[in-house]
PDB file of all heavy atoms in Angstrom:
ATOM      1  N   GLN U 302     -27.455 -38.168  48.858  1.00  0.00           N
ATOM      2  CA  GLN U 302     -27.027 -38.741  47.592  1.00  0.00           C
ATOM      3  C   GLN U 302     -28.062 -39.769  47.137  1.00  0.00           C
ATOM      4  O   GLN U 302     -27.870 -40.466  46.167  1.00  0.00           O
ATOM      5  CB  GLN U 302     -25.679 -39.471  47.769  1.00  0.00           C
ATOM      6  CG  GLN U 302     -24.561 -38.579  48.246  1.00  0.00           C
ATOM      7  CD  GLN U 302     -23.904 -37.874  47.096  1.00  0.00           C
ATOM      8  OE1 GLN U 302     -23.905 -38.360  45.985  1.00  0.00           O
ATOM      9  NE2 GLN U 302     -23.335 -36.715  47.352  1.00  0.00           N
TER      10      GLN U 302
ATOM     11  N   LYS F 163     -12.479 -49.887  44.619  1.00  0.00           N
ATOM     12  CA  LYS F 163     -13.704 -49.136  44.888  1.00  0.00           C
ATOM     13  C   LYS F 163     -14.745 -49.474  43.844  1.00  0.00           C
ATOM     14  O   LYS F 163     -14.529 -49.309  42.642  1.00  0.00           O
ATOM     15  CB  LYS F 163     -13.432 -47.633  44.860  1.00  0.00           C
ATOM     16  CG  LYS F 163     -14.672 -46.793  45.116  1.00  0.00           C
ATOM     17  CD  LYS F 163     -15.106 -46.877  46.556  1.00  0.00           C
ATOM     18  CE  LYS F 163     -16.463 -46.224  46.790  1.00  0.00           C
ATOM     19  NZ  LYS F 163     -16.835 -46.250  48.205  1.00  0.00           N
ATOM     20  N   TYR F 165     -18.535 -48.379  43.153  1.00  0.00           N
ATOM     21  CA  TYR F 165     -19.505 -47.409  43.655  1.00  0.00           C
ATOM     22  C   TYR F 165     -20.855 -48.054  43.914  1.00  0.00           C
ATOM     23  O   TYR F 165     -21.537 -47.727  44.866  1.00  0.00           O
ATOM     24  CB  TYR F 165     -19.660 -46.244  42.685  1.00  0.00           C
ATOM     25  CG  TYR F 165     -18.566 -45.219  42.840  1.00  0.00           C
ATOM     26  CD1 TYR F 165     -17.538 -45.126  41.916  1.00  0.00           C
ATOM     27  CD2 TYR F 165     -18.561 -44.363  43.928  1.00  0.00           C
ATOM     28  CE1 TYR F 165     -16.533 -44.188  42.079  1.00  0.00           C
ATOM     29  CE2 TYR F 165     -17.567 -43.424  44.096  1.00  0.00           C
ATOM     30  CZ  TYR F 165     -16.555 -43.335  43.164  1.00  0.00           C
ATOM     31  OH  TYR F 165     -15.565 -42.425  43.323  1.00  0.00           O
ATOM     32  N   ARG F 166     -21.240 -48.958  43.034  1.00  0.00           N
ATOM     33  CA  ARG F 166     -22.528 -49.595  43.212  1.00  0.00           C
ATOM     34  C   ARG F 166     -22.412 -51.032  42.738  1.00  0.00           C
ATOM     35  O   ARG F 166     -21.700 -51.309  41.766  1.00  0.00           O
ATOM     36  CB  ARG F 166     -23.603 -48.864  42.414  1.00  0.00           C
ATOM     37  CG  ARG F 166     -24.897 -48.668  43.173  1.00  0.00           C
ATOM     38  CD  ARG F 166     -25.825 -47.722  42.437  1.00  0.00           C
ATOM     39  NE  ARG F 166     -25.398 -46.340  42.523  1.00  0.00           N
ATOM     40  CZ  ARG F 166     -25.529 -45.444  41.544  1.00  0.00           C
ATOM     41  NH1 ARG F 166     -26.056 -45.808  40.398  1.00  0.00           N
ATOM     42  NH2 ARG F 166     -25.128 -44.210  41.696  1.00  0.00           N
ATOM     43  N   LEU F 169     -21.961 -52.351  39.039  1.00  0.00           N
ATOM     44  CA  LEU F 169     -21.156 -51.414  38.249  1.00  0.00           C
ATOM     45  C   LEU F 169     -19.717 -51.926  38.201  1.00  0.00           C
ATOM     46  O   LEU F 169     -19.244 -52.551  39.141  1.00  0.00           O
ATOM     47  CB  LEU F 169     -21.168 -50.059  38.951  1.00  0.00           C
ATOM     48  CG  LEU F 169     -21.603 -48.836  38.167  1.00  0.00           C
ATOM     49  CD1 LEU F 169     -23.000 -49.015  37.609  1.00  0.00           C
ATOM     50  CD2 LEU F 169     -21.583 -47.614  39.077  1.00  0.00           C
ATOM     51  N   ALA F 170     -19.030 -51.654  37.086  1.00  0.00           N
ATOM     52  CA  ALA F 170     -17.615 -52.016  37.033  1.00  0.00           C
ATOM     53  C   ALA F 170     -16.875 -51.204  38.097  1.00  0.00           C
ATOM     54  O   ALA F 170     -17.211 -50.045  38.330  1.00  0.00           O
ATOM     55  CB  ALA F 170     -17.054 -51.705  35.655  1.00  0.00           C
ATOM     56  N   PRO F 171     -15.889 -51.803  38.772  1.00  0.00           N
ATOM     57  CA  PRO F 171     -15.185 -51.050  39.807  1.00  0.00           C
ATOM     58  C   PRO F 171     -14.485 -49.825  39.211  1.00  0.00           C
ATOM     59  O   PRO F 171     -13.906 -49.902  38.129  1.00  0.00           O
ATOM     60  CB  PRO F 171     -14.157 -52.039  40.347  1.00  0.00           C
ATOM     61  CG  PRO F 171     -14.383 -53.324  39.663  1.00  0.00           C
ATOM     62  CD  PRO F 171     -15.388 -53.157  38.590  1.00  0.00           C
ATOM     63  N   ALA F 172     -14.556 -48.696  39.928  1.00  0.00           N
ATOM     64  CA  ALA F 172     -13.879 -47.478  39.467  1.00  0.00           C
ATOM     65  C   ALA F 172     -12.380 -47.596  39.687  1.00  0.00           C
ATOM     66  O   ALA F 172     -11.583 -47.026  38.952  1.00  0.00           O
ATOM     67  CB  ALA F 172     -14.426 -46.270  40.209  1.00  0.00           C
ATOM     68  N   VAL F 173     -12.017 -48.344  40.732  1.00  0.00           N
ATOM     69  CA  VAL F 173     -10.609 -48.654  40.987  1.00  0.00           C
ATOM     70  C   VAL F 173     -10.564 -50.145  41.285  1.00  0.00           C
ATOM     71  O   VAL F 173     -11.336 -50.646  42.095  1.00  0.00           O
ATOM     72  CB  VAL F 173     -10.064 -47.844  42.183  1.00  0.00           C
ATOM     73  CG1 VAL F 173      -8.662 -48.293  42.534  1.00  0.00           C
ATOM     74  CG2 VAL F 173     -10.098 -46.357  41.877  1.00  0.00           C
ATOM     75  N   GLY F 190      -3.767 -40.512  33.763  1.00  0.00           N
ATOM     76  CA  GLY F 190      -4.690 -41.312  32.974  1.00  0.00           C
ATOM     77  C   GLY F 190      -5.803 -40.435  32.442  1.00  0.00           C
ATOM     78  O   GLY F 190      -5.978 -39.305  32.898  1.00  0.00           O
ATOM     79  N   PRO F 191      -6.561 -40.954  31.503  1.00  0.00           N
ATOM     80  CA  PRO F 191      -7.651 -40.166  30.931  1.00  0.00           C
ATOM     81  C   PRO F 191      -8.749 -39.941  31.966  1.00  0.00           C
ATOM     82  O   PRO F 191      -8.788 -40.607  32.993  1.00  0.00           O
ATOM     83  CB  PRO F 191      -8.161 -41.032  29.776  1.00  0.00           C
ATOM     84  CG  PRO F 191      -7.774 -42.421  30.152  1.00  0.00           C
ATOM     85  CD  PRO F 191      -6.498 -42.309  30.930  1.00  0.00           C
ATOM     86  N   SER F 192      -9.611 -39.006  31.677  1.00  0.00           N
ATOM     87  CA  SER F 192     -10.710 -38.688  32.578  1.00  0.00           C
ATOM     88  C   SER F 192     -11.564 -39.932  32.825  1.00  0.00           C
ATOM     89  O   SER F 192     -11.857 -40.679  31.912  1.00  0.00           O
ATOM     90  CB  SER F 192     -11.540 -37.577  31.949  1.00  0.00           C
ATOM     91  OG  SER F 192     -12.623 -37.271  32.758  1.00  0.00           O
ATOM     92  N   GLY F 193     -11.932 -40.146  34.083  1.00  0.00           N
ATOM     93  CA  GLY F 193     -12.802 -41.270  34.417  1.00  0.00           C
ATOM     94  C   GLY F 193     -12.078 -42.574  34.678  1.00  0.00           C
ATOM     95  O   GLY F 193     -12.721 -43.609  34.850  1.00  0.00           O
ATOM     96  N   CYS F 194     -10.746 -42.549  34.739  1.00  0.00           N
ATOM     97  CA  CYS F 194     -10.013 -43.805  34.906  1.00  0.00           C
ATOM     98  C   CYS F 194      -9.854 -44.178  36.377  1.00  0.00           C
ATOM     99  O   CYS F 194      -9.309 -45.226  36.692  1.00  0.00           O
ATOM    100  CB  CYS F 194      -8.661 -43.736  34.226  1.00  0.00           C
ATOM    101  SG  CYS F 194      -7.495 -42.668  35.075  1.00  0.00           S
ATOM    102  N   GLY F 195     -10.312 -43.314  37.283  1.00  0.00           N
ATOM    103  CA  GLY F 195     -10.274 -43.680  38.699  1.00  0.00           C
ATOM    104  C   GLY F 195      -9.209 -42.964  39.512  1.00  0.00           C
ATOM    105  O   GLY F 195      -8.940 -43.346  40.656  1.00  0.00           O
ATOM    106  N   LYS F 196      -8.607 -41.930  38.974  1.00  0.00           N
ATOM    107  CA  LYS F 196      -7.546 -41.213  39.698  1.00  0.00           C
ATOM    108  C   LYS F 196      -8.075 -40.546  40.958  1.00  0.00           C
ATOM    109  O   LYS F 196      -7.540 -40.731  42.047  1.00  0.00           O
ATOM    110  CB  LYS F 196      -6.914 -40.139  38.789  1.00  0.00           C
ATOM    111  CG  LYS F 196      -6.438 -40.649  37.451  1.00  0.00           C
ATOM    112  CD  LYS F 196      -5.860 -39.533  36.601  1.00  0.00           C
ATOM    113  CE  LYS F 196      -6.843 -38.443  36.237  1.00  0.00           C
ATOM    114  NZ  LYS F 196      -7.802 -38.789  35.176  1.00  0.00           N
ATOM    115  N   THR F 197      -9.147 -39.765  40.790  1.00  0.00           N
ATOM    116  CA  THR F 197      -9.705 -39.052  41.935  1.00  0.00           C
ATOM    117  C   THR F 197     -10.202 -40.033  42.986  1.00  0.00           C
ATOM    118  O   THR F 197      -9.984 -39.839  44.180  1.00  0.00           O
ATOM    119  CB  THR F 197     -10.857 -38.137  41.470  1.00  0.00           C
ATOM    120  OG1 THR F 197     -10.321 -37.172  40.571  1.00  0.00           O
ATOM    121  CG2 THR F 197     -11.517 -37.433  42.634  1.00  0.00           C
ATOM    122  N   THR F 198     -10.851 -41.097  42.524  1.00  0.00           N
ATOM    123  CA  THR F 198     -11.349 -42.108  43.457  1.00  0.00           C
ATOM    124  C   THR F 198     -10.201 -42.658  44.296  1.00  0.00           C
ATOM    125  O   THR F 198     -10.315 -42.787  45.520  1.00  0.00           O
ATOM    126  CB  THR F 198     -12.047 -43.231  42.675  1.00  0.00           C
ATOM    127  OG1 THR F 198     -13.058 -42.655  41.850  1.00  0.00           O
ATOM    128  CG2 THR F 198     -12.676 -44.235  43.605  1.00  0.00           C
ATOM    129  N   THR F 199      -9.083 -42.978  43.647  1.00  0.00           N
ATOM    130  CA  THR F 199      -7.921 -43.492  44.368  1.00  0.00           C
ATOM    131  C   THR F 199      -7.449 -42.481  45.407  1.00  0.00           C
ATOM    132  O   THR F 199      -7.242 -42.808  46.580  1.00  0.00           O
ATOM    133  CB  THR F 199      -6.774 -43.782  43.378  1.00  0.00           C
ATOM    134  OG1 THR F 199      -7.264 -44.625  42.347  1.00  0.00           O
ATOM    135  CG2 THR F 199      -5.613 -44.439  44.076  1.00  0.00           C
ATOM    136  N   LEU F 200      -7.303 -41.236  44.978  1.00  0.00           N
ATOM    137  CA  LEU F 200      -6.795 -40.194  45.869  1.00  0.00           C
ATOM    138  C   LEU F 200      -7.720 -39.989  47.066  1.00  0.00           C
ATOM    139  O   LEU F 200      -7.264 -39.828  48.197  1.00  0.00           O
ATOM    140  CB  LEU F 200      -6.653 -38.884  45.088  1.00  0.00           C
ATOM    141  CG  LEU F 200      -5.682 -37.885  45.685  1.00  0.00           C
ATOM    142  CD1 LEU F 200      -4.265 -38.357  45.451  1.00  0.00           C
ATOM    143  CD2 LEU F 200      -5.878 -36.510  45.093  1.00  0.00           C
ATOM    144  N   ARG F 201      -9.027 -40.019  46.796  1.00  0.00           N
ATOM    145  CA  ARG F 201      -9.983 -39.785  47.875  1.00  0.00           C
ATOM    146  C   ARG F 201      -9.977 -40.930  48.881  1.00  0.00           C
ATOM    147  O   ARG F 201     -10.201 -40.719  50.066  1.00  0.00           O
ATOM    148  CB  ARG F 201     -11.390 -39.577  47.306  1.00  0.00           C
ATOM    149  CG  ARG F 201     -11.521 -38.230  46.573  1.00  0.00           C
ATOM    150  CD  ARG F 201     -12.833 -38.114  45.842  1.00  0.00           C
ATOM    151  NE  ARG F 201     -13.968 -38.184  46.748  1.00  0.00           N
ATOM    152  CZ  ARG F 201     -14.386 -37.158  47.497  1.00  0.00           C
ATOM    153  NH1 ARG F 201     -13.773 -36.013  47.426  1.00  0.00           N
ATOM    154  NH2 ARG F 201     -15.414 -37.303  48.286  1.00  0.00           N
ATOM    155  N   MET F 207     -13.290 -41.310  51.422  1.00  0.00           N
ATOM    156  CA  MET F 207     -14.171 -42.314  50.831  1.00  0.00           C
ATOM    157  C   MET F 207     -13.667 -43.679  51.277  1.00  0.00           C
ATOM    158  O   MET F 207     -12.460 -43.904  51.338  1.00  0.00           O
ATOM    159  CB  MET F 207     -14.041 -42.171  49.316  1.00  0.00           C
ATOM    160  CG  MET F 207     -14.940 -43.029  48.518  1.00  0.00           C
ATOM    161  SD  MET F 207     -14.520 -42.812  46.786  1.00  0.00           S
ATOM    162  CE  MET F 207     -15.440 -41.358  46.390  1.00  0.00           C
ATOM    163  N   GLN F 236      -8.924 -29.872  43.324  1.00  0.00           N
ATOM    164  CA  GLN F 236      -8.930 -29.280  41.983  1.00  0.00           C
ATOM    165  C   GLN F 236      -9.556 -27.888  42.015  1.00  0.00           C
ATOM    166  O   GLN F 236      -9.114 -26.977  41.338  1.00  0.00           O
ATOM    167  CB  GLN F 236      -9.718 -30.196  41.055  1.00  0.00           C
ATOM    168  CG  GLN F 236      -9.661 -29.781  39.608  1.00  0.00           C
ATOM    169  CD  GLN F 236     -10.251 -30.844  38.701  1.00  0.00           C
ATOM    170  OE1 GLN F 236     -10.669 -31.902  39.154  1.00  0.00           O
ATOM    171  NE2 GLN F 236     -10.271 -30.567  37.428  1.00  0.00           N
ATOM    172  N   ASP F 312      -5.043 -33.139  43.677  1.00  0.00           N
ATOM    173  CA  ASP F 312      -5.958 -33.604  42.638  1.00  0.00           C
ATOM    174  C   ASP F 312      -6.028 -32.577  41.510  1.00  0.00           C
ATOM    175  O   ASP F 312      -6.689 -31.561  41.645  1.00  0.00           O
ATOM    176  CB  ASP F 312      -7.354 -33.845  43.218  1.00  0.00           C
ATOM    177  CG  ASP F 312      -8.257 -34.569  42.231  1.00  0.00           C
ATOM    178  OD1 ASP F 312      -7.791 -34.862  41.100  1.00  0.00           O
ATOM    179  OD2 ASP F 312      -9.414 -34.847  42.567  1.00  0.00           O
ATOM    180  N   GLU F 313      -5.346 -32.854  40.437  1.00  0.00           N
ATOM    181  CA  GLU F 313      -5.311 -31.950  39.282  1.00  0.00           C
ATOM    182  C   GLU F 313      -5.175 -30.494  39.721  1.00  0.00           C
ATOM    183  O   GLU F 313      -6.008 -29.657  39.358  1.00  0.00           O
ATOM    184  CB  GLU F 313      -6.576 -32.131  38.428  1.00  0.00           C
ATOM    185  CG  GLU F 313      -6.847 -33.582  38.120  1.00  0.00           C
ATOM    186  CD  GLU F 313      -7.321 -33.822  36.707  1.00  0.00           C
ATOM    187  OE1 GLU F 313      -7.253 -32.888  35.878  1.00  0.00           O
ATOM    188  OE2 GLU F 313      -7.716 -34.961  36.405  1.00  0.00           O
ATOM    189  N   VAL F 344      -2.388 -36.148  41.100  1.00  0.00           N
ATOM    190  CA  VAL F 344      -3.289 -36.629  40.054  1.00  0.00           C
ATOM    191  C   VAL F 344      -3.256 -35.676  38.866  1.00  0.00           C
ATOM    192  O   VAL F 344      -3.327 -34.460  39.039  1.00  0.00           O
ATOM    193  CB  VAL F 344      -4.733 -36.730  40.577  1.00  0.00           C
ATOM    194  CG1 VAL F 344      -5.720 -36.846  39.429  1.00  0.00           C
ATOM    195  CG2 VAL F 344      -4.875 -37.914  41.503  1.00  0.00           C
ATOM    196  N   MET F 361      -2.875 -44.953  34.629  1.00  0.00           N
ATOM    197  CA  MET F 361      -4.106 -45.685  34.930  1.00  0.00           C
ATOM    198  C   MET F 361      -5.026 -45.720  33.729  1.00  0.00           C
ATOM    199  O   MET F 361      -5.047 -44.810  32.908  1.00  0.00           O
ATOM    200  CB  MET F 361      -4.844 -45.029  36.105  1.00  0.00           C
ATOM    201  CG  MET F 361      -4.129 -45.173  37.428  1.00  0.00           C
ATOM    202  SD  MET F 361      -5.121 -44.522  38.795  1.00  0.00           S
ATOM    203  CE  MET F 361      -6.444 -45.730  38.852  1.00  0.00           C
TER     204      MET F 361
HETATM  205  N1  ADP G 634     -19.993 -40.905  43.306  1.00  0.00           N
HETATM  206  C1  ADP G 634     -19.903 -41.740  42.263  1.00  0.00           C
HETATM  207  N2  ADP G 634     -20.881 -42.659  42.019  1.00  0.00           N
HETATM  208  C2  ADP G 634     -20.783 -43.511  40.981  1.00  0.00           C
HETATM  209  N3  ADP G 634     -19.765 -43.541  40.112  1.00  0.00           N
HETATM  210  C3  ADP G 634     -18.767 -42.655  40.293  1.00  0.00           C
HETATM  211  C4  ADP G 634     -18.785 -41.712  41.366  1.00  0.00           C
HETATM  212  N4  ADP G 634     -17.653 -40.959  41.296  1.00  0.00           N
HETATM  213  C5  ADP G 634     -16.969 -41.409  40.225  1.00  0.00           C
HETATM  214  N5  ADP G 634     -17.631 -42.424  39.618  1.00  0.00           N
HETATM  215  C6  ADP G 634     -17.174 -43.175  38.438  1.00  0.00           C
HETATM  216  O1  ADP G 634     -15.954 -43.790  38.737  1.00  0.00           O
HETATM  217  C7  ADP G 634     -15.054 -43.686  37.666  1.00  0.00           C
HETATM  218  C8  ADP G 634     -13.773 -43.013  38.099  1.00  0.00           C
HETATM  219  O2  ADP G 634     -14.033 -41.680  38.463  1.00  0.00           O
HETATM  220  P1  ADP G 634     -12.887 -40.706  38.933  1.00  0.00           P
HETATM  221  O3  ADP G 634     -12.085 -41.356  39.988  1.00  0.00           O
HETATM  222  O4  ADP G 634     -13.521 -39.410  39.296  1.00  0.00           O
HETATM  223  O5  ADP G 634     -12.013 -40.527  37.618  1.00  0.00           O
HETATM  224  P2  ADP G 634     -10.849 -39.503  37.274  1.00  0.00           P
HETATM  225  O6  ADP G 634     -10.535 -38.702  38.489  1.00  0.00           O
HETATM  226  O7  ADP G 634      -9.723 -40.350  36.838  1.00  0.00           O
HETATM  227  O8  ADP G 634     -11.354 -38.653  36.157  1.00  0.00           O
HETATM  228  C9  ADP G 634     -15.778 -42.937  36.565  1.00  0.00           C
HETATM  229  O9  ADP G 634     -16.268 -43.873  35.651  1.00  0.00           O
HETATM  230  C10 ADP G 634     -16.895 -42.247  37.277  1.00  0.00           C
HETATM  231  O10 ADP G 634     -18.009 -42.144  36.442  1.00  0.00           O
END
Side-chain angles (χ1 to χ4, degrees):
Chain U
Q302 300 275 333
Chain F
K163 179 72 189 183
Y165 279 105
R166 223 169 286 144
L169 234 57
V173 173
S192 178
C194 72
K196 307 179 297 284
T197 298
T198 305
T199 307
L200 202 74
R201 289 172 61 79
M207 185 185 276
Q236 187 170 358
D312 191 359
E313 311 220 11
V344 164
M361 291 185 69

